[in-house]
Amino acid sequence: MSLVKAANERGWTHFQNIVVDSIEETLPHAAEKDFDVFVQDVTMRVALVAILDVDVSVKELDSEDIRIVSKLISTLWSLSKQAEPIPADLLPRLNYHLRRLIPDEKLYPNPLDFLIPVWETMWRVVAPSVAYAQNSSYASNLFSKLHSSPTIDQFRHFDGTQPSVEWFMMEVMRLHPPSQRISRASPIYPFPAFLPLNLNKLSLKLFGQLFRRECADIGSVLKCKRIWGADAAAFEPLRFHSGRVTREQEGIKSLPFGCGRLKCVAAGWAPMAAGILSAAILQRIQAGSGFRLVEGKCIGGREGWSGWLICTQL
């Protein structure tokens, strides 16, 4: 919570400045760069400097360390879904390069635990946001206004016709939640509350704390036609207009961040941050900027971005 609070206190203009610097450092020096790699690199720099507050500037971060860390996190995730054992050298290699980026062992004893929730969530929201905005007739103006005025009021502004950036980001997260399933481990107390408390204490001493793992398939809920209507699979940010959104939809729209006491502490901060990141990228690849986005066949997730490229314009 303290990291998010500190980022909030530094303000959105400070955050945006780091975003802009990160984009400039990441733009391809050659003719082209894979779009997902580009977004991963930008968000990694932003996560390190703007959120984890490492004591270096964006330009001082080692690009090779960033490339290796991003690639190894994705590789380890893919391998974790397979039956074969994960090569023993991958995690130590990841930790070596990550420690070079985050050297403070006292503040970040296990830096991977701090980086993944910030970086993994952020880049997987920003990439589809830019992809949808690129295909939208109104999004360029929408995000341009946020880039010019990075305030919460502008983020939430609805002009009566086009959706707010907030609704745009919510719709991206509805169709592309960073985690399709969220699991939590809850403590189990085997004896009912009306029995003496010392029975549960005895169980704890004999067997240790018992846990029950619960899993929520939020990806299915956020695309359920019964809840969202026949157009549940369509990208339609205006569905969050107060005159259209139902009570049930309103109650579950923030599911990508979990719910209850285990809800992500950045739930109120992250959508705005992702909006500013998306706006800055869109501003830098607009017509006449020297760069452009080449679209692939479909919008990906953690994987599936084949054909999407950031290219230089001649």
Side-chain angles (χ1 to χ4, degrees), residues 84-109:
E84 294 79 9
I86 296 175
D89 66 308
L90 293 188
L91 185 57
R93 187 178 171 214
L94 169 58
N95 284 325
Y96 168 76
H97 287 280
L98 186 53
R99 182 55 75 192
R100 281 168 52 88
L101 294 168
I102 309 177
D104 192 332
E105 296 186 16
K106 184 176 181 181
L107 193 58
Y108 300 109

Side-chain angles (χ1 to χ4, degrees), residues 5-17:
K5 183 179 179 181
N8 253 329
E9 289 174 350
R10 288 189 288 268
W12 288 117
T13 299
H14 177 269
F15 180 84
Q16 185 188 55
N17 289 337

Side-chain angles (χ1 to χ4, degrees), residues 9 46 77 86 165 183 213 215 226 244 252-253 283:
E9 289 174 350
V46 171
W77 176 85
I86 296 175
V165 176
S183 60
R213 182 163 291 279
C215 183
R226 184 190 65 77
R244 287 181 55 178
I252 64 174
K253 68 182 183 183
Q283 186 76 12

